[in-house]
Amino acid sequence: MALLEVRNLKKHFPLKTGILSRTIGHVRAVDGVSFTLERGETLGLVGESGCGKTTVGRSILRLIEPTSGQVIFNDQNLLALDRAQMRQARASLQIIFQDPFSSLDPRMSVGQIIAEPIRNYLKVSRREIGHRVAYLIDKVGLHPEQMSRYPHEFSGGQRQRIGIARALALNPMAIICDEPVSALDVSIQAQVINLLIQLQEEMNLSYLFIAHDLSVVEHISDRVAVMYLGRIVELATDRELYQNPQHPYTQALLSAVPLPDPGIRKQRILLEGDVPSPLNPPSGCAFHTRCAERDEVCAHQEPTFRDLGDDHWVACHLR
């Protein structure tokens, strides 16, 4: 059985106006997302900015309360738990935030930042906490003598390592990685990705890896889900998705990935128009307004998310 199963997850933000804050519509940030995450697996979740990737991750943890759906984690429906039960569940399901600058408290030392979840959740002595913090700092490639320093004394890559150590403090089973390398230089991105892979192998972690950089996702993921306008339009193993993309949106995204050899020219697929507003998404297939292959049925009927074989799922009338 999957460690994490998300079923028809939705998050609609109300749009209010006037003195009485009357609701005049809803922004459909996440509009029916379903997927599973196996033990020890990395699932990449990719798409353009604003497609709802981060909202999915935060809704799973209930940092944002979902509108509807189910989130089954370790045989528990997280959306049915009360506040105390949800607090305990978060010990096994942690998050690494995108921005290593704003996600760390500047008034706390590195040792205090990593020790905080241990103090809040575990009844252990101060000495044991100190040993655990020193172990975690060493595990992520920093030095124990840096425990007394503050976040502003570290580089962006080092701060993200601190964020990773904090996420590991309670021995979680799964970690939601919310674009953990997008704010870092390319060379530092590779170091952090390799660190995450190493930690996964050593600690049998599961990752939901949220990103917009398809080359980064290819390096770390076992399966990849592609989101567009709040929905998953394609889901497959990393090799299958990159070698045999089926959805026109996935094909366009992959055509934009730069190649390391400047002598090789790739034919770009340029999408027409702008991303529709999630406040008023198109009828039928949400992508049909930008799709060069669209047919008449695409504008009126929502495509079924179906298996093409070899666990390759796609939501497209033409496939």
Side-chain angles (χ1 to χ4, degrees):
M1 186 175 180
L3 176 62
L4 174 67
E5 183 177 359
V6 176
R7 302 174 184 169
N8 198 28
L9 184 68
K10 296 183 180 181
K11 178 57 185 177
H12 298 170
F13 293 96
L15 184 65
K16 298 179 181 294
T17 188
I19 299 175
L20 300 177
S21 296
R22 184 168 55 90
T23 300
I24 59 172
H26 289 84
V27 176
R28 300 179 182 181
V30 178
D31 200 23
V33 166
S34 300
F35 60 82
T36 60
L37 178 66
E38 304 294 333
R39 297 178 188 272
E41 181 191 34
T42 298
L43 174 65
L45 188 61
V46 302
E48 293 173 287
S49 296
C51 71
K53 307 183 301 294
T54 293
T55 304
V56 168
R58 298 191 177 214
S59 295
I60 290 171
L61 274 166
R62 290 177 62 184
L63 299 179
I64 299 173
E65 283 294 336
T67 301
S68 63
Q70 288 184 308
V71 177
I72 312 299
F73 176 70
N74 200 25
D75 299 330
Q76 282 186 306
N77 183 6
L78 299 185
L79 305 191
L81 302 182
D82 61 29
R83 185 172 181 178
Q85 292 170 328
M86 188 62 208
R87 183 179 182 276
Q88 289 302 315
R90 286 197 183 107
S92 299
L93 180 60
Q94 291 288 300
I95 185 170
I96 301 169
F97 293 100
Q98 175 180 357
D99 188 356
F101 298 92
S102 63
S103 62
L104 302 178
D105 191 334
R107 299 166 298 179
M108 298 175 68
S109 69
V110 169
Q112 291 171 329
I113 289 170
I114 300 174
E116 186 177 28
I118 303 174
R119 289 197 189 95
N120 288 338
Y121 281 86
L122 304 178
K123 295 181 180 180
V124 294
S125 66
R126 183 177 298 179
R127 185 173 183 176
E128 290 175 303
I129 292 175
H131 287 317
R132 176 68 178 167
V133 171
Y135 167 78
L136 290 170
I137 285 179
D138 179 69
K139 196 76 173 172
V140 298
L142 299 176
H143 301 287
E145 57 266 23
Q146 295 175 308
M147 288 171 55
S148 60
R149 297 184 183 177
Y150 288 81
H152 71 272
E153 300 179 73
F154 294 88
S155 66
Q158 289 174 319
R159 293 187 198 191
Q160 198 58 289
R161 289 174 185 266
I162 296 167
I164 293 170
R166 178 177 59 186
L168 295 173
L170 298 174
N171 288 319
M173 291 186 284
I175 298 178
I176 296 172
C177 305
D178 183 12
E179 302 200 40
V181 298
S182 63
L184 308 177
D185 294 336
V186 174
S187 59
I188 306 302
Q189 286 184 11
Q191 295 176 18
V192 173
I193 290 295
N194 289 333
L195 172 63
L196 289 171
I197 293 173
Q198 177 186 337
L199 292 170
Q200 182 177 43
E201 293 173 351
E202 294 177 359
M203 305 176 74
N204 193 32
L205 295 166
S206 299
Y207 295 144
L208 175 60
F209 193 90
I210 298 169
H212 61 265
D213 189 335
L214 285 162
S215 58
V216 170
V217 172
E218 182 181 17
H219 185 63
I220 193 173
S221 299
D222 299 300
R223 291 186 300 142
V224 180
V226 180
M227 280 191 71
Y228 182 79
L229 210 64
R231 300 175 182 175
I232 293 178
V233 296
E234 189 163 5
L235 173 63
T237 62
D238 63 330
R239 183 181 297 273
E240 174 70 13
L241 187 97
Y242 283 84
Q243 293 183 356
N244 186 31
Q246 290 296 307
H247 199 281
Y249 177 62
T250 307
Q251 294 170 356
L253 289 181
L254 289 174
S255 75
V257 176
L259 295 174
D261 186 349
I264 300 177
R265 292 190 175 184
K266 181 188 289 189
Q267 184 175 358
R268 285 289 309 276
I269 300 175
L270 300 177
L271 298 177
E272 56 185 68
D274 297 321
V275 179
S277 169
L279 179 63
N280 186 26
S283 60
C285 174
F287 185 64
H288 84 267
T289 58
R290 307 176 71 195
C291 182
E293 302 179 37
R294 62 182 177 267
D295 202 352
E296 186 177 348
V297 67
C298 301
H300 307 290
Q301 184 177 334
E302 184 179 336
T304 303
F305 195 59
R306 56 194 177 88
D307 190 357
L308 301 181
D310 297 324
D311 202 27
H312 190 154
W313 295 77
V314 66
C316 182
H317 290 297
L318 309 178
R319 299 293 185 267

